[in-house]
Amino acid sequence: MLKSVPSAIFCCGSDFSILEVNTQFCDLVGKSRENCLGNSLDSILPEEMAEKVTSSLSTLANGGACSEFELSLKNEEGDDAHFAINLQQIDGTETRVERFVGSLQDISHLRKKEGSLIAEHELLRTVIDILPAFIYAKDTDSKFIIANEVLAGSMGCGSCDDLIGKTDFEFFPHKYAIKYYCDEQEVITSGRPKINIQESFGFDENMEPMWLNTTKVPLINSSGEIVGIVGSGMDISKQKRNNDKLKELQEIVDNSHSCAFLLSSHDNWIVNFCSNTVSIFGYEVEDFSNRKIKFLELVHPDDVENVSNETIDSFNRRLVNFTLEYRIRRKDGGYCWVEDHKHLREVCEDGSYLFQSLITDITARYEVKQERDEMEIQLRQAQKLEAVGQLAAGIAHEINTPIQFISDNLEFLMDSAKDYVSFHKGVVDQLDKSDPIQGEIFSKLEKLAEELDLEFLSEEVPMAISQSLEGAHRVRDIVQAMKEFSHPGSGDISQEDINKAIRNTITVARNEWKYVADVETELDESIESVPVYIGPIKQTILNLIVNAAHAIEDRVKAGEIEKGKITIRSRIVEDSVEIEVEDTGKGMSQEVAERVFDPFFTTKEVGKGTGQGLSMAYDIVVRKHKGKLRFNSEEGIGTTFIIALPLTVE
């Protein structure tokens, strides 16, 4: 029997000498049975244990009851060792004890496990008390057996202990308590959990309904029996109210022509919500699920910085509502103009903003406004050109009359000079040198001609008059070109000599190109007339020539070339007349080429150009004449613009 008992057993006499031990005792004290028998407990047991055991045995010998106690010692490794000790007498008389029996059981592992369980319990208790959710456990009668501080506080209790042993009927109105009870009993009876169930639990001080998201699962013991439930809940009243408002907002927006977004200022504006009307931009709500697309990724790259900065700056200034206009990308890749009404909903603890955007596509309205603005610009430009044209026509008219006088007088002087030379030669040839009188006259004439250098004058005067006459004719041509260029036309489309318009425009623009380029023309003289609004077309050709001259001027100033070339061609291509303006300027980069027809876009230095030349040219050719305006450009090589004007009017 001693060998089969797991505890260490010893038997001793009244003098505490050992009479019998089992193997487990020998293992505990580290001695053999032979070394234990007959020796005193004081010499066998550890000192502290021997002192406690012999003291307890003395108490038994004096009539004390059975002694049971625990003893903690330090083992050889310095760790705590725990023993459960039981001592009792086994025979003797009323006045004399014959023998004692004692059991020593090492319970260190039990105490260690118990300590771990206590620590785990304290940790679990701490965790459930700091969680913002309601945590509890109930028995099969739906009485609380565990609850955390959050639940106790929400139910008006001073501590969780005030809940233990009580039911919901003591805290909630009957209609709520009976529902909770039935749900819990269903879980206990069926063994099936209820997960993420929304349930009402009364009203707050503002009479707003309060809601919980609850989970209830069976509480199962080590035998597999259901002995209650474990539940958790989270107050979702605010979230549910927000969701309800969002649903209302979504219903309103879904029946409108606008799209609503709920955005966070984090990381390119995370999309927390978007209405179904996002389809007006070609997207589906699913495109924004799991944050696949972030809102600023939709904004036109040129607008991102301004939209982001304006929004954050407005929120920093505590503006709750404001409006922006910018471009966003449709799903098909195109861009549209939108009007964005922003509303600040919340400033988060981390300093970020939660806000909503109600976005309306205003592309049509913007295009109308842009077209109106362009028309106003063109009207002002046309009025300015008309005024300049009238001034130029008046100046040209005033210049034309004296130039005509000069030309006529130069023609007269040219004829007179020729006649004078002929007269002098005739007189000299008629004189008889052998005749003394005529010979003397001849000598005097020769001497006078030599003094006056008449031979030189006879050659140079006609040449000077001829050059002056050529200059006068050039001035006349320029004046005539100015008069024709400045003529606005009838305002209606008419058949015009396009080659003549090109030549006049080249003449008028001469001051722009004569120092930096040579102009060559390759005009198809078989072109008779073209139906055009002649004033706008001349303005378009002028803009292209001036732009070409400026592009070449940049290369000349940079020292890349001494002088460039502008080549202007006209030709018939199928049912259109094409006018081509080719230059050897600096060409355009891909970025510039993509924006070259945008209003107010220019690469010229401040004060040079208006940024309207090419956008107006595009409007004149494409919209007004139903033609085409295209270009080819290569950086460092040059650019060619091609105007295609239809030969027939629709």
Side-chain angles (χ1 to χ4, degrees):
M1 288 179 65
L2 289 176
K3 290 181 179 179
S4 65
V5 176
S7 300
I9 304 294
F10 68 88
C11 181
C12 66
S14 58
D15 59 355
F16 306 145
S17 60
I18 296 175
L19 302 176
E20 188 58 79
V21 294
N22 66 353
T23 305
Q24 287 77 3
F25 183 88
C26 296
D27 293 340
L28 177 65
V29 299
K31 298 182 181 295
S32 66
R33 180 171 178 274
E34 289 74 16
N35 290 334
C36 291
L37 296 179
N39 290 315
S40 172
L41 287 172
D42 292 338
S43 63
I44 298 300
L45 294 175
E47 180 180 353
E48 188 176 347
M49 182 182 288
E51 181 181 346
K52 181 67 174 175
V53 169
T54 55
S55 174
S56 298
L57 290 176
S58 298
T59 301
L60 280 175
N62 294 323
C66 172
S67 178
E68 287 188 57
F69 58 90
E70 286 188 17
L71 183 64
S72 297
L73 303 173
K74 292 288 185 181
N75 58 22
E76 294 178 357
E77 288 77 21
D79 297 328
D80 289 332
H82 301 274
F83 295 91
I85 301 175
N86 183 289
L87 303 172
Q88 54 185 303
Q89 61 184 22
I90 57 174
D91 57 14
T93 65
E94 293 181 358
T95 60
R96 182 167 176 267
V97 177
E98 293 293 337
R99 286 179 292 180
F100 299 96
V101 67
S103 68
L104 307 173
Q105 184 176 0
D106 188 348
I107 59 172
S108 300
H109 65 290
L110 294 176
R111 290 295 174 260
K112 186 175 181 180
K113 184 178 292 186
E114 186 180 77
S116 297
L117 289 174
I118 291 172
E120 289 179 6
H121 178 270
E122 291 175 350
L123 176 61
L124 178 61
R125 182 77 244 179
T126 302
V127 168
I128 67 172
D129 281 339
I130 66 172
L131 285 174
F134 306 148
I135 307 293
Y136 61 91
K138 295 182 179 181
D139 61 17
T140 53
D141 294 326
S142 289
K143 293 180 180 180
F144 287 100
I145 56 177
I146 295 175
N148 69 346
E149 295 292 343
V150 176
L151 179 60
S154 71
M155 297 177 72
C157 298
S159 71
C160 11
D161 293 337
D162 296 336
L163 284 172
I164 307 306
K166 298 178 182 178
T167 68
D168 289 331
F169 290 95
E170 299 176 57
F171 299 95
F172 294 102
H174 185 270
K175 67 175 182 178
Y176 294 118
I178 192 65
K179 181 182 184 305
Y180 304 155
Y181 176 80
C182 291
D183 286 345
E184 291 161 2
Q185 292 302 310
E186 182 183 344
V187 172
I188 293 170
T189 303
S190 67
R192 291 191 298 271
K194 290 181 176 290
I195 298 175
N196 291 332
I197 306 299
Q198 290 187 9
E199 54 188 24
S200 173
F201 68 106
F203 296 86
D204 62 15
E205 64 275 8
N206 298 319
M207 296 307 296
E208 292 280 354
M210 301 175 68
W211 290 86
L212 282 178
N213 185 300
T214 65
T215 293
K216 299 172 182 177
V217 299
L219 176 60
I220 302 173
N221 65 13
S222 58
S223 301
E225 298 173 335
I226 296 176
V227 294
I229 66 157
V230 175
S232 67
M234 179 75 75
D235 186 346
I236 59 168
S237 303
K238 182 177 179 181
Q239 178 183 346
K240 192 171 189 311
R241 284 195 291 270
N242 286 341
N243 287 340
D244 290 342
K245 290 179 181 177
L246 283 176
K247 287 180 181 178
E248 293 177 7
L249 176 63
Q250 183 168 359
E251 289 179 5
I252 294 171
V253 172
D254 285 348
N255 293 311
S256 72
H257 298 290
S258 301
C259 176
F261 286 89
L262 183 62
L263 306 171
S264 170
S265 60
H266 277 302
D267 188 20
N268 274 338
W269 293 7
I270 295 168
V271 178
N272 293 331
F273 164 85
C274 70
S275 63
N276 292 327
T277 47
V278 73
S279 58
I280 63 179
F281 302 117
Y283 296 97
E284 302 291 339
V285 174
E286 290 73 19
D287 292 327
F288 298 91
S289 300
N290 301 320
R291 298 173 179 172
K292 294 177 184 176
I293 301 177
K294 295 170 184 175
F295 187 81
L296 283 183
E297 295 172 359
L298 302 181
V299 179
H300 193 288
D302 292 346
D303 298 340
V304 169
E305 183 177 358
N306 181 63
V307 171
S308 179
N309 290 345
E310 284 285 333
T311 300
I312 300 304
D313 180 62
S314 298
F315 289 158
N316 288 340
R317 291 186 287 116
R318 293 299 182 263
L319 291 180
V320 177
N321 298 289
F322 60 96
T323 301
L324 295 176
E325 290 185 6
Y326 53 90
R327 292 162 290 179
I328 66 173
R329 186 182 72 246
R330 295 190 183 95
K331 194 169 185 178
D332 60 11
Y335 283 91
C336 60
W337 280 92
V338 298
E339 184 177 70
D340 184 353
H341 296 278
K342 294 188 179 297
H343 172 71
L344 177 62
R345 293 179 62 91
E346 182 181 349
V347 180
C348 304
E349 292 182 359
D350 61 359
S352 63
Y353 298 104
L354 183 68
F355 60 97
Q356 66 191 40
S357 284
L358 188 63
I359 295 176
T360 306
D361 187 341
I362 61 167
T363 303
R365 188 207 316 171
Y366 188 85
E367 288 178 349
V368 169
K369 178 179 179 296
Q370 188 179 36
E371 185 175 350
R372 184 175 65 250
D373 292 344
E374 289 181 4
M375 288 178 64
E376 290 177 357
I377 292 171
Q378 291 181 25
L379 178 60
R380 289 195 296 269
Q381 185 75 1
Q383 290 171 342
K384 183 169 67 174
L385 289 173
E386 183 178 358
V388 172
Q390 290 174 352
L391 178 62
I395 294 173
H397 177 73
E398 292 301 323
I399 293 175
N400 192 54
T401 300
I403 284 297
Q404 188 63 47
F405 293 157
I406 293 171
S407 296
D408 292 345
N409 289 334
L410 287 173
E411 293 280 0
F412 170 74
L413 289 175
M414 174 66 77
D415 294 340
S416 299
K418 291 178 181 178
D419 291 343
Y420 170 76
V421 172
S422 298
F423 170 76
H424 177 268
K425 188 176 184 301
V427 170
V428 171
D429 290 343
Q430 292 296 323
L431 290 174
D432 184 359
K433 298 176 185 178
S434 60
D435 183 284
I437 297 175
Q438 293 185 27
E440 184 180 354
I441 293 172
F442 178 81
S443 297
K444 288 180 179 181
L445 288 175
E446 284 293 314
K447 184 178 180 181
L448 182 61
E450 186 176 346
E451 290 176 357
L452 296 176
D453 200 359
L454 192 59
E455 184 179 355
F456 172 77
L457 293 176
S458 299
E459 294 177 359
E460 294 299 322
V461 169
M463 186 181 298
I465 295 173
S466 177
Q467 289 174 348
S468 299
L469 191 57
E470 182 182 350
H473 288 164
R474 183 174 295 177
V475 172
R476 181 191 62 194
D477 291 342
I478 292 173
V479 169
Q480 186 62 31
M482 285 179 61
K483 288 177 66 177
E484 293 188 8
F485 183 84
S486 62
H487 192 279
S490 63
D492 298 323
I493 200 162
S494 58
Q495 297 289 337
E496 299 289 344
D497 185 341
I498 203 70
N499 287 338
K500 184 178 180 182
I502 292 171
R503 292 189 184 97
N504 287 336
T505 304
I506 293 171
T507 301
V508 170
R510 179 180 178 81
N511 194 58
E512 293 287 345
W513 56 260
K514 66 180 180 180
Y515 299 110
V516 296
D518 295 321
V519 174
E520 295 181 0
T521 57
E522 299 175 11
L523 306 179
D524 185 348
E525 300 299 340
S526 67
I527 301 173
E528 296 180 355
S529 60
V530 181
V532 292
Y533 296 95
I534 190 60
I537 284 297
K538 287 189 290 187
Q539 183 63 45
T540 299
I541 297 171
L542 177 63
N543 284 337
L544 295 182
I545 294 174
V546 170
N547 282 349
H550 289 171
I552 293 172
E553 182 182 4
D554 290 341
R555 293 193 68 189
V556 171
K557 286 182 177 179
E560 298 177 14
I561 55 175
E562 291 185 6
K563 204 171 187 181
K565 184 171 74 171
I566 301 173
T567 305
I568 304 175
R569 304 178 181 90
S570 66
R571 56 177 174 266
I572 296 177
V573 179
E574 297 180 352
D575 56 352
S576 298
V577 167
E578 288 190 351
I579 303 168
E580 188 175 285
V581 179
E582 178 185 355
D583 67 63
T584 58
K586 63 180 181 179
M588 290 183 279
S589 66
Q590 182 65 31
E591 181 182 0
V592 171
E594 290 176 355
R595 302 185 60 192
V596 72
F597 294 124
D598 289 354
F600 303 109
F601 175 76
T602 180
T603 59
K604 298 175 183 178
E605 61 191 27
V606 176
K608 190 172 185 179
T610 64
Q612 286 291 298
L614 289 176
S615 65
M616 289 178 62
Y618 186 87
D619 183 74
I620 290 168
V621 173
V622 177
R623 297 182 183 176
K624 201 164 187 174
H625 286 83
K626 309 302 180 187
K628 296 178 182 178
L629 178 60
R630 64 185 191 276
F631 65 90
N632 301 312
S633 186
E634 187 175 350
E635 277 193 282
I637 303 299
T639 302
T640 302
F641 277 90
I642 302 101
I643 301 171
L645 300 172
L647 285 169
T648 56
V649 180
E650 296 182 1

